[in-house]
Amino acid sequence: SQPISFQAKSSPIAFQCTRLFSVSRPTLEDVAITRTGKPIIKIAGGRSSLGGHTATVFGATGFLGRYIVNRLARSGCTVVVPFREEMAKRHLKVSGDLGRVVFLEYDLRNTASIEESVRHSDMVYNLVGRDYPTKNFDLEDVHVEGTQRIAEACAKYDIDRFVQVSSFNADKNSPSEFFRTKARGEEVARNVFPETTIVRPAPMFGFEDRLLNKLASASNLFTSNHMEERYWPVHVIDVGMALETMIDDDNTASQTYELYGPTEYSTAEIAEFVDKEIIKHRRHFNLPKAVMKPVAQALNRAVWWMKTSADQVEREFIDQKIDKTAKTFADLGIEPAELPSLTFDYLKGYRSSVYYDLPPQTERERREEKRYLHVID
Ligand code: NDP
């Protein structure tokens, strides 16, 4: 590529102009034609760059949402964030430059508001999901009907790409309603929009997770399966990275990805890591399923904040099964992080301050301590 520069270089101002306008012509690869034939100006990336994709992220106000909105916005994409509660979306505003993160109020039952959210985008992510039924939405409403409305809006406006975030163990014959409805959501998405990319994350851990924080919290934990369920926990930042990769790689269209961590653990094993990291012993009580399920159901109906539900008790008895036909992190060129390498970062806040001068407890602390060893003479 040839630099474009001014002819007159005699004065200092002209010299400045030369420097200002001495930009490379974009090469042909800088313009990409999307699946539906729209041109996209590919940008080098950076928070303040112009051009790039416009992506709508449904469910951006949740745990995973911030890790994809942040990645897209900081690489210069315009991100449309449909939201339903003012306070829940505030933290996303600063993840991008002024005007790059756009908020639109929507309702999962209001088709017009969903269409308004997707019509200017070339990429749509659906992260909407709930672990438990609520007063106004059961799992079918959220995972099946909600997905159908979003997929139909994508088809109506001929959106280039649609990514549906489902779940590990999504199976129409599962004893868990959550896994059944997630599988039906996948089916509905593929029927309406055949190029849908399906992403099935394993249980995710990170700062705002419901895995490490639950095991580390001071309240007693009630379980039914002695915490013996086994799964491959995955780092939420790795899942965010995978979702971002999909925006630039059209080969991921129509594919199914199972995103899981490198090692399988039981909840009891993770609880051991947690206790070691927080230097406290958390108490766990095991109650029979026959007692726990009705109690969890009654609690789910009685209180409006997240506690537990009968279906969550059911899920304790289901180990994660890997679908060998699905693609994984390896197909996206991502190496997933190990859980024990990050527990210190996520759990140090739970430690008592009396331990501030303890010798390093984890491999990472030991590595970091080395930074302060100097050979002076
Ligand atoms: P969160 O529960 O943190 O966030 C869920 C999002 O869905 C929120 O933005 C929430 O909006 C939105 N939502 C839920 N119900 C409704 C509704 N009735 N109408 C409109 N919006 C709704 O989920 P995560 O970020 O943890 O997970 C993202 C996706 O990944 C979900 O689909 C989840 O099922 C799936 N998944 C998660 C796993 C995990 O370990 N976290 C494991 C496997 C799958 P609002 O903020 O307004 O409530």
Side-chain angles (χ1 to χ4, degrees):
S1 61
Q2 294 298 315
I4 310 163
S5 57
F6 281 168
Q7 294 298 313
K9 288 187 183 170
S10 48
S11 73
I13 292 176
F15 178 67
Q16 285 302 323
C17 287
T18 313
R19 292 189 55 184
L20 270 178
F21 290 93
S22 177
V23 289
S24 298
R25 279 179 209 279
T27 54
L28 274 183
E29 294 86 64
D30 290 336
V31 178
I33 304 297
T34 66
R35 203 182 55 79
T36 53
K38 292 177 211 148
I40 295 270
I41 299 171
K42 293 264 177 178
I43 47 173
R47 193 180 155 93
S48 301
S49 46
L50 287 176
H53 295 269
T54 304
T56 302
V57 184
F58 288 95
T61 48
F63 169 41
L64 173 61
R66 70 178 69 205
Y67 295 96
I68 175 66
V69 172
N70 169 31
R71 296 193 82 88
L72 295 175
R74 77 177 186 206
S75 65
C77 295
T78 303
V79 190
V80 181
V81 174
F83 70 97
R84 50 179 193 162
E85 212 277 309
E86 276 290 334
M87 300 295 270
K89 50 114 170 125
R90 294 186 311 168
H91 59 285
L92 299 171
K93 184 75 190 170
V94 287
S95 56
D97 209 348
L98 206 59
R100 302 316 292 261
V101 183
V102 183
F103 296 107
L104 276 175
E105 194 168 353
Y106 91 117
D107 188 280
L108 207 52
R109 291 202 172 101
N110 185 330
T111 309
S113 70
I114 293 175
E115 289 179 358
E116 190 57 36
S117 307
V118 304
R119 58 190 289 201
H120 299 290
S121 298
D122 51 78
M123 183 85 178
V124 172
Y125 292 94
N126 180 19
L127 274 52
V128 174
R130 259 293 167 261
D131 276 341
Y132 51 94
T134 56
K135 188 157 56 85
N136 295 313
F137 292 89
D138 61 22
L139 298 183
E140 176 91 8
D141 294 336
V142 178
H143 299 147
V144 187
E145 286 178 22
T147 302
Q148 173 144 12
R149 286 199 192 95
I150 295 172
E152 279 171 355
C154 292
K156 180 172 174 185
Y157 287 97
D158 205 10
I159 307 299
D160 291 300
R161 299 285 311 281
F162 176 48
V163 175
Q164 165 71 10
V165 178
S166 179
S167 169
F168 65 101
N169 283 355
D171 177 5
K172 278 203 291 182
N173 301 316
S174 173
S176 151
E177 193 191 355
F178 178 85
F179 293 142
R180 280 200 306 273
T181 51
K182 280 286 188 186
R184 292 210 36 232
E186 290 181 6
E187 194 179 57
V188 159
R190 279 265 163 82
N191 284 345
V192 178
F193 195 96
E195 296 85 7
T196 303
T197 305
I198 287 166
V199 176
R200 297 184 189 137
M204 293 183 278
F205 64 91
F207 262 118
E208 308 82 5
D209 67 12
R210 295 182 289 276
L211 178 60
L212 300 179
N213 286 306
K214 189 163 122 187
L215 294 172
S217 71
S219 57
N220 295 323
L221 188 64
F222 290 91
T223 57
S224 284
N225 190 22
H226 298 278
M227 302 202 289
E228 278 173 9
E229 64 276 19
R230 300 190 71 80
Y231 42 82
W232 280 262
V234 65
H235 192 203
V236 67
I237 293 183
D238 292 334
V239 178
M241 208 188 291
L243 293 177
E244 187 198 17
T245 310
M246 289 170 188
I247 203 167
D248 282 322
D249 185 358
D250 279 350
N251 291 326
T252 56
S254 320
Q255 304 293 330
T256 301
Y257 287 85
E258 290 230 336
L259 303 181
Y260 50 91
T263 314
E264 187 190 33
Y265 297 101
S266 67
T267 308
E269 286 164 356
I270 300 175
E272 257 179 58
F273 288 134
V274 171
D275 282 359
K276 200 170 142 236
E277 215 65 272
I278 65 175
I279 323 178
K280 281 174 193 151
H281 179 64
R282 295 298 190 209
R283 282 184 303 173
H284 309 122
F285 295 102
N286 207 73
L287 294 175
K289 188 175 170 183
V291 175
M292 205 42 198
K293 264 184 105 166
V295 171
Q297 188 162 6
L299 203 63
N300 181 228
R301 289 204 183 127
V303 299
W304 58 92
W305 62 90
M306 169 60 185
K307 269 288 171 200
T308 183
S309 70
D311 194 68
Q312 276 173 293
V313 177
E314 189 64 57
R315 268 178 270 157
E316 282 181 32
F317 292 83
I318 308 173
D319 291 341
Q320 182 178 357
K321 281 189 213 75
I322 304 290
D323 177 358
K324 296 284 179 210
T325 60
K327 294 194 167 183
T328 62
F329 276 121
D331 298 282
L332 298 166
I334 297 170
E335 198 183 327
E338 284 278 4
L339 177 120
S341 67
L342 291 155
T343 44
F344 172 71
D345 295 84
Y346 293 136
L347 294 169
K348 61 186 170 195
Y350 286 96
R351 279 187 187 188
S352 162
S353 58
V354 298
Y355 294 107
Y356 74 96
D357 60 347
L358 270 187
Q361 301 290 310
T362 64
E363 189 53 43
R364 188 188 166 124
E365 271 185 291
R366 269 189 284 278
R367 261 187 281 125
E368 288 193 348
E369 198 186 49
K370 279 199 196 125
R371 283 205 312 229
Y372 302 102
L373 293 177
H374 301 288
V375 181
I376 296 171
D377 296 320

XYZ file of all heavy atoms in Angstrom, residues 41-53 75-78 97-98 100:
137
model
N -16.422 -2.425 6.806
C -15.047 -1.928 6.784
C -14.331 -2.524 7.971
O -14.662 -2.251 9.124
C -15.018 -0.387 6.827
C -15.745 0.145 5.598
C -13.580 0.116 6.888
C -15.989 1.621 5.604
N -13.361 -3.399 7.671
C -12.602 -4.047 8.752
C -11.634 -3.031 9.328
O -10.970 -2.313 8.585
C -11.826 -5.235 8.195
C -12.712 -6.347 7.733
C -12.854 -7.364 8.805
C -13.825 -8.448 8.342
N -13.993 -9.484 9.293
N -11.555 -2.990 10.624
C -10.697 -2.002 11.256
C -9.603 -2.696 12.049
O -9.755 -3.840 12.444
C -11.527 -1.081 12.183
C -12.453 -1.941 13.066
C -12.305 -0.068 11.384
C -13.172 -1.175 14.105
N -8.531 -1.934 12.250
C -7.407 -2.521 12.985
C -7.821 -2.804 14.418
O -7.249 -3.642 15.097
C -6.243 -1.560 12.954
N -8.854 -2.131 14.898
C -9.322 -2.348 16.265
C -8.824 -1.247 17.167
O -7.932 -0.476 16.819
N -9.417 -1.152 18.326
C -9.071 -0.066 19.244
C -10.345 0.644 19.596
O -11.242 0.783 18.763
N -10.428 1.074 20.842
C -11.638 1.655 21.400
C -12.219 2.792 20.562
O -13.416 2.912 20.391
C -11.268 2.171 22.799
C -12.412 2.535 23.664
C -11.846 3.012 24.988
N -12.774 3.907 25.639
C -13.674 3.533 26.504
N -13.772 2.282 26.842
N -14.479 4.414 27.048
N -11.336 3.630 19.981
C -11.841 4.800 19.275
C -11.834 4.640 17.762
O -12.017 5.616 17.049
C -11.011 6.029 19.660
O -11.087 6.214 21.048
N -11.623 3.429 17.256
C -11.612 3.254 15.807
C -13.042 3.291 15.259
O -14.002 2.983 15.966
C -10.918 1.949 15.444
O -11.384 0.931 16.268
N -13.156 3.680 13.988
C -14.472 3.784 13.366
C -14.656 2.653 12.365
O -13.707 2.230 11.726
C -14.607 5.118 12.630
C -14.775 6.349 13.524
C -14.795 7.593 12.678
C -16.060 6.250 14.324
N -15.884 2.222 12.202
C -16.147 1.129 11.261
C -16.449 -0.136 12.029
O -16.861 -0.096 13.182
N -16.221 -1.257 11.393
C -16.419 -2.535 12.082
C -17.867 -2.965 12.138
O -18.733 -2.421 11.465
N -18.114 -3.949 12.977
C -19.435 -4.568 13.030
C -20.382 -3.803 13.954
O -19.954 -3.050 14.816
C -19.315 -5.989 13.563
C -18.541 -6.888 12.666
N -19.123 -7.638 11.684
C -17.220 -7.148 12.608
C -18.196 -8.336 11.051
N -17.025 -8.051 11.601
N -12.945 -3.114 20.828
C -12.305 -3.278 19.521
C -12.979 -2.388 18.479
O -12.739 -2.528 17.285
C -12.330 -4.742 19.093
O -13.661 -5.140 18.887
N -13.853 -1.482 18.923
C -14.410 -0.481 18.016
C -15.739 -0.838 17.389
O -16.254 -0.092 16.568
N -16.331 -1.974 17.748
C -17.655 -2.318 17.201
C -18.720 -1.453 17.882
O -18.524 -1.004 19.006
C -18.004 -3.774 17.482
S -16.951 -4.952 16.676
N -19.829 -1.273 17.202
C -20.978 -0.637 17.843
C -21.797 -1.757 18.484
O -22.088 -2.756 17.820
C -21.823 0.122 16.803
O -20.958 1.056 16.164
C -22.992 0.850 17.433
N -16.266 3.491 23.542
C -16.131 4.932 23.377
C -17.538 5.567 23.340
O -18.540 4.861 23.196
C -15.380 5.208 22.068
C -14.595 6.497 22.134
O -14.828 7.267 23.088
O -13.760 6.726 21.249
N -17.551 6.910 23.429
C -18.833 7.615 23.451
C -19.686 7.237 22.230
O -19.208 7.314 21.098
C -18.546 9.124 23.453
C -19.605 10.004 24.068
C -19.842 9.631 25.518
C -19.192 11.453 23.956
N -20.691 4.303 21.249
C -20.502 2.967 20.667
C -21.332 1.904 21.388
O -21.544 0.831 20.859
C -19.023 2.548 20.675
C -18.079 3.470 19.949
C -18.594 3.935 18.614
N -18.707 2.946 17.577
C -17.825 2.749 16.614
N -16.740 3.475 16.571
N -18.017 1.857 15.682
